[in-house]
Amino acid sequence: MCVTLATDVGGTFTDVVLTGPDGRVVVAKTLTTPDDPAEGLLRGVRRVLADAAVAPREVTRFVHATTLATNVILERTGVPVAFVTTEGFRSMLALGRRARVEEDRYDRYYRQPEPPVPLSHTFTVPGRIDASGAVLTPLDEAAAADVAGRVAALGVAAVAICLLHSYLNPVHERRLAEIVAARLPDGTPVVASCDVWPEMGEYERATTTLMSAYVGPVMAAYLRGLQERLRGCGIVAPVRVMESAGGVLPARLAADRAVHTIESGPAAGVVAAARLGARRGIADLVCFDMGGTTAKAGLVRGGRPGVTHEFQVGGKGSHGGRRPGTGVPIKIPAIDLAEVGSGGGSIAWADAGTLRVGPRSAGADPGPACYGRGGTLPTVTDADLVLGYLDPAGFGGFRLDAALARAAIEEHVARPLGVDVTGAAAAIHDIAGAQMGDAVHVVTVRRGIDPRGFTLVALGGAAPTHAAGLAARFGIGRVLVPPNAGVGSAAGLLHADLAVERARTFLAPVARLTSCSGSREALGDLTALLAELERSARADLAADDTNGTDSADGPDGPDGTDGTDGTDGAVVVRSVGIRFVGQAHAFTVELSAGPVTPETVQRAAEEFYKRYHESYGIDLRDPAELTTARVRVTLPGGDPPAPRPVPVPSPPASRRVRLPGGWTDV
């Protein structure tokens, strides 16, 4: 019997979904416990096991999405870290790449945020590799040993190393990591950028490596504790963690590469939307995921979620976007999302005669006023209850108190603005909807995509309440609200694929790769690099303790990859970054299957020109170049049986609901 448990820890609620081989789905929604997220998770796990009459040892797969990595970065609660870089670049992180946007532009007292690691914990070592990968100056091992001693004296819990141009030649970085590790207590993580994300751009590579070291020990401790507590409940299935690009990682890899889990929870929602669409023959969807704290939007085109390879954590911006230079840049693959701080728990208040909604949230404790848990501030959920959109009988054991909701809106919004409670509640609902529309606007209109031919998928506890209005705003004619929409992100985890992506910088002009005279050597280099990246990704998957093998060693297959490592049946997607010569940013374009030939590269270049025109409205045919080689290896999770929700008896009933035409019995 194959039983899967999927859990998603959000800012307000923790969702748990259980499914078996017959497709039966059992769900639970519990309040998140911020001080100990595993507590609320385990409470939900025990509930679904009891409701499904499933013994804990029958669970064969446990998949988890968590906001832990994001919270650690935003709240700066990671472990003490030291940072080591090339001599002359000690101030790289302190200088940063900051942009003043929104209200910061006019702040006369603006102060640059503190760097993620102080200068007192930043060290440099002589030694230099040039932009071609050649060694200009050998690594000074005596200076490296001295730095290692100074780092050890700080008593840090992790070390991040990022040397100039190590993405081309990691020899100095690996040797420095050995020297530093030898002076630290056993088990202290020493994270090198050549292992985290070996691409050009030393600042972004440095911040990504640093955040991996900063979050990694926290994630490792959390996952160890979670596994122990699950075993204490009788669940011995291995834990897998959703990564930002929509696949899942074994817990060991998730701890080692914690930075890859930053967009863990939001990614699951878009994966769920893609699967829901595929089941109904719908390939183009807008995923609208609204929880208690935030609302997120993502796009699925041709059945595949959009993926970006750089995003900002904690960045500022307007209308759902995050402006470069306002947060911590992270260079990993992640499902492309826009987010606004407007959810069911977003607090409404009167500000100098103007109604404001969010981004402050009532969270799980005390929650909206209508929860009756001590909250006195009005929220979007309170407004929706007053308008009749929510059933006072509540959900998941929660009863909602309309009197408390009306009192909160009356005191903090209606009376200060001189309107009645119903009008105030309607205004809160409309403003929240407008803010959520900003996120949809970012992933569609702002990127040159007409949303009118898409289907809007409503996921998250609060999304169905706002989905119809949101669809009307964008001229979207169809809305899909699936069963158990309130736990949609957790449902997306049930059959998520095990996946690993590897990438490395590969600089070469398209003209060189497609010319008759110079293409053979360059194509050979690209082919060899793609094969190496595939072998590395397969080795990570083969090391998963659910794959039935401990090693990726074995004879090479026809493409130079291992054919006996437990990854038979894996789907391999190869892609390259392409940009115009002289530009800084690239599009990621998928390569066609088969050998890499001049025709393969030319087709990729044509796709790049098309994508550029779609995004910017400019039809350029200037010389282009490859920047990065990428390989993503996926072990499909299998085709799930059609879901069969457990029916809940619902006697005929009606209540008054305020619609645009007035109050109506529904």
Side-chain angles (χ1 to χ4, degrees):
M1 180 177 180
C2 179
V3 176
T4 298
L5 265 175
T7 63
D8 177 27
V9 180
T12 304
F13 285 101
T14 293
D15 301 334
V16 182
V17 180
L18 179 147
T19 187
D22 61 351
R24 187 171 64 121
V25 176
V26 181
V27 306
K29 184 180 279 284
T30 65
L31 284 170
T32 294
T33 47
D35 293 336
D36 181 10
E39 180 59 36
L41 182 153
L42 292 170
R43 188 186 308 140
V45 166
R46 287 189 287 265
R47 184 180 300 171
V48 295
L49 290 174
D51 291 347
V54 169
R57 288 192 172 273
E58 294 181 58
V59 176
T60 54
R61 191 166 184 257
F62 186 96
V63 190
H64 185 37
T66 174
T67 58
L68 178 69
T70 306
N71 294 341
V72 167
I73 295 174
L74 294 178
E75 298 167 9
R76 296 205 169 194
T77 55
V79 300
V81 177
F83 178 68
V84 187
T85 188
T86 302
E87 186 178 55
F89 288 80
R90 182 168 180 256
S91 297
M92 174 173 53
L93 293 175
L95 290 171
R97 187 173 288 135
R98 302 296 304 182
R100 290 176 64 172
V101 302
E102 308 307 321
E103 68 276 7
D104 288 343
R105 292 173 175 170
Y106 312 105
D107 185 356
R108 295 173 59 192
Y109 303 100
Y110 172 81
R111 295 184 64 182
Q112 179 127 320
E114 292 295 319
V117 61
L119 279 176
S120 61
H121 284 53
T122 302
F123 304 89
T124 64
V125 174
R128 190 67 173 266
I129 289 172
D130 68 15
S132 69
V135 176
L136 283 179
T137 307
L139 179 70
D140 188 332
E141 296 203 3
D146 178 64
V147 164
R150 292 157 63 194
V151 168
L154 291 173
V156 295
V159 179
I161 298 175
C162 182
L163 302 182
L164 210 62
H165 301 305
S166 63
Y167 58 88
L168 287 173
N169 185 349
V171 60
H172 284 179
E173 210 166 80
R174 295 201 189 284
R175 178 58 184 146
L176 178 58
E178 291 176 357
I179 294 171
V180 172
R183 297 294 300 272
L184 299 174
D186 289 343
T188 303
V190 178
V191 183
S193 73
C194 60
D195 296 322
V196 174
W197 205 248
E199 292 189 39
M200 61 184 175
E202 67 276 3
Y203 178 66
E204 290 79 7
R205 185 159 45 88
T207 55
T208 303
T209 304
L210 180 62
M211 289 301 106
S212 189
Y214 186 66
V215 175
V218 180
M219 178 66 77
Y222 169 73
L223 291 176
R224 279 196 305 270
L226 177 61
Q227 288 174 308
E228 290 173 1
R229 293 170 75 171
L230 288 172
R231 284 195 291 268
C233 294
I235 297 174
V236 295
V239 174
R240 289 176 174 175
V241 181
M242 172 64 86
E243 48 102 37
S244 302
V248 294
L249 295 172
R252 176 187 58 80
L253 278 180
D256 290 344
R257 301 171 192 170
V259 72
H260 286 257
T261 68
I262 287 174
E263 293 288 342
S264 173
V270 184
V271 171
R275 286 192 177 273
L276 289 165
R279 195 175 291 130
R280 292 162 176 80
I282 306 171
D284 296 327
L285 309 109
V286 177
C287 174
F288 171 55
D289 185 353
M290 179 183 172
T293 308
T294 60
K296 297 160 281 287
L299 210 62
V300 177
R301 302 181 73 186
R304 298 175 64 176
V307 175
T308 183
H309 287 84
E310 182 177 343
F311 60 96
Q312 305 282 322
V313 178
K316 287 188 176 183
S318 58
H319 312 298
R322 289 292 178 266
R323 299 284 293 276
T326 62
V328 180
I330 303 293
K331 283 183 70 70
I332 60 166
I335 287 180
D336 197 5
L337 294 162
E339 180 176 286
V340 293
S342 192
S346 294
I347 295 171
W349 78 100
D351 180 15
T354 301
L355 177 60
R356 304 284 295 274
V357 180
R360 291 186 301 153
S361 174
D365 187 15
C370 62
Y371 283 9
R373 294 170 52 87
T376 59
L377 299 177
T379 67
V380 175
T381 295
D382 294 306
D384 289 343
L385 179 62
V386 167
L387 297 172
Y389 302 153
L390 299 179
D391 186 351
F395 55 92
F398 287 91
R399 289 195 61 83
L400 305 180
D401 191 326
L404 291 177
R406 293 183 66 87
I409 294 173
E410 166 70 24
E411 179 180 353
H412 296 281
V413 177
R415 191 182 305 140
L417 296 181
V419 298
D420 63 17
V421 172
T422 299
I428 293 170
H429 177 88
D430 291 345
I431 289 176
Q435 292 175 170
M436 294 165 201
D438 291 339
V440 175
H441 188 273
V442 166
V443 298
T444 55
V445 177
R446 188 182 289 185
R447 296 175 186 172
I449 298 169
D450 186 346
R452 290 175 293 184
F454 286 69
T455 297
L456 183 70
V457 181
L459 298 174
T465 310
H466 294 262
L470 198 59
R473 170 180 170 179
F474 289 93
I476 296 174
R478 179 165 52 186
V479 176
L480 173 58
V481 183
N484 297 317
V487 293
S489 290
L493 297 168
L494 289 173
H495 304 283
D497 303 326
L498 194 65
V500 171
E501 181 166 323
R502 291 290 197 174
R504 190 178 304 166
T505 289
F506 180 85
L507 280 174
V510 169
R512 180 184 169 205
L513 292 161
T514 56
S515 67
C516 296
S517 58
S519 64
R520 180 173 297 179
E521 181 181 355
L523 288 173
D525 292 342
L526 178 57
T527 299
L529 177 55
L530 290 170
E532 180 186 342
L533 294 173
E534 182 178 340
R535 281 194 298 271
S536 179
R538 284 180 179 269
D540 283 338
L541 292 180
D544 178 20
D545 54 11
T546 64
N547 254 2
T549 181
D550 296 322
S551 172
D553 295 335
D556 286 349
D559 296 323
T561 59
D562 193 324
T564 60
D565 60 3
T567 61
D568 290 345
V571 177
V572 179
V573 176
R574 304 171 304 170
S575 57
V576 291
I578 306 181
R579 68 183 181 187
F580 286 116
V581 174
Q583 288 194 334
H585 299 284
F587 281 100
T588 297
V589 178
E590 190 173 317
L591 295 175
S592 55
V596 181
T597 64
E599 292 74 23
T600 304
V601 177
Q602 188 59 48
R603 283 194 294 269
E606 293 299 326
E607 178 64 20
F608 162 71
Y609 291 133
K610 176 185 174 184
R611 294 261 301 276
Y612 192 91
H613 177 71
E614 289 176 347
S615 298
Y616 301 109
I618 302 172
D619 193 8
L620 284 181
R621 304 287 299 185
D622 289 3
E625 64 181 354
L626 271 62
T627 62
T628 309
R630 304 186 192 279
V631 174
R632 186 170 182 84
V633 179
T634 302
L635 282 174
D639 294 326
R644 185 167 60 84
V646 176
V648 178
S650 180
S654 66
R655 66 175 181 269
R656 290 182 63 75
V657 175
R658 187 183 187 279
L659 299 176
W663 287 96
T664 305
D665 286 322
V666 175

